[in-house]
Amino acid sequence: MRRLFIADLHLHPARPEHSCALIDFCEQRINADDELYILGDLFEVWIGDDVGMVTYADVIACFKQLTDTGTKVYFMAGNRDFLIGSDFCLATGITLLPDPYLIRFDQQDVLLMHGDTLCTDDLDYQGFRSLVRSPHWQQEFLAMSPALRMQKAANYRQQSQSMTATKSDEIMDVNSDAVDQIMAQYQVSLLIHGHTHRPQVHHLNLGERIVLGDWGGHFDYLSWPQGEAWHLIRQSI
Ligand code: MN
């Protein structure tokens, strides 16, 4: 039995090779007694289950097959796919996790996060996040037509890109005090997250912080077989 962790796949219809790589990964690399943890930004954009489940029907079917054969699959929302809802969960058999989520593996407490809440220096983003994570905003947004939602999502993306262009690398990365604070709060010596697309294992005073990589010409995943040490694996697409 292994726990597998992935994040930041950013699946998009324009990049079918990434969806194919995920489907191959699920079909060939994952066993029935494994657990798969997806730590956010599985999709480049998700404007609602009604649209997303049609756009990504192949990925939905793949997850359904995976959970039907016994694999437990967990999903934590990222900043791109936070509108994933109950219809998606019903269709895929995936369980939604809150962010952060504390879990115990092999007598070790591990904190799982997407990672965007750790970027506390990016005040514009944190303001935007509070807005779009409010139930009121989400209700209003999901009541709009798919065309209008698509247009609004594209506008938000454009605004975010033009703001990001002026921000330093430090602002866009996690804040080390925020990391220390959350690890102390949850009393963990291991934090696993994605979001920043800066895959690395950081050795900290409080323990280790593993940043999962995004999917590009290759994909990274963390494999943690029960009773053994975890290791990061990079596979080409
Ligand atoms: Mn992200």
Side-chain angles (χ1 to χ4, degrees), residues 196-234:
T196 59
H197 301 192
R198 300 175 196 201
Q200 203 172 327
V201 180
H202 297 268
H203 301 279
L204 315 166
N205 289 335
L206 291 169
E208 281 168 321
R209 175 168 72 92
I210 304 174
V211 187
L212 300 171
D214 56 310
W215 288 30
H218 55 77
F219 69 88
D220 292 352
Y221 65 97
L222 186 137
S223 171
W224 192 343
Q226 191 160 33
E228 294 176 35
W230 54 262
H231 46 277
L232 286 163
I233 298 168
R234 174 162 288 187

Side-chain angles (χ1 to χ4, degrees), residues 65-123:
Q65 199 179 1
L66 197 61
T67 58
D68 276 351
T69 51
T71 305
K72 289 191 177 68
V73 184
Y74 301 95
F75 171 79
M76 180 182 283
N79 48 300
R80 301 301 195 91
D81 47 15
F82 58 87
L83 284 173
I84 279 183
S86 52
D87 288 346
F88 171 88
C89 294
L90 213 60
T92 55
I94 287 179
T95 305
L96 279 190
L97 300 179
D99 181 359
Y101 188 72
L102 181 68
I103 199 155
R104 196 167 173 83
F105 296 146
D106 291 347
Q107 285 84 52
Q108 185 173 7
D109 286 327
V110 183
L111 194 63
L112 309 178
M113 301 180 81
H114 175 58
D116 56 331
T117 53
L118 296 170
C119 302
T120 52
D121 296 326
D122 192 347
L123 298 175

Side-chain angles (χ1 to χ4, degrees), residues 8 41 79 114 195:
D8 299 290
D41 289 355
N79 48 300
H114 175 58
H195 180 64

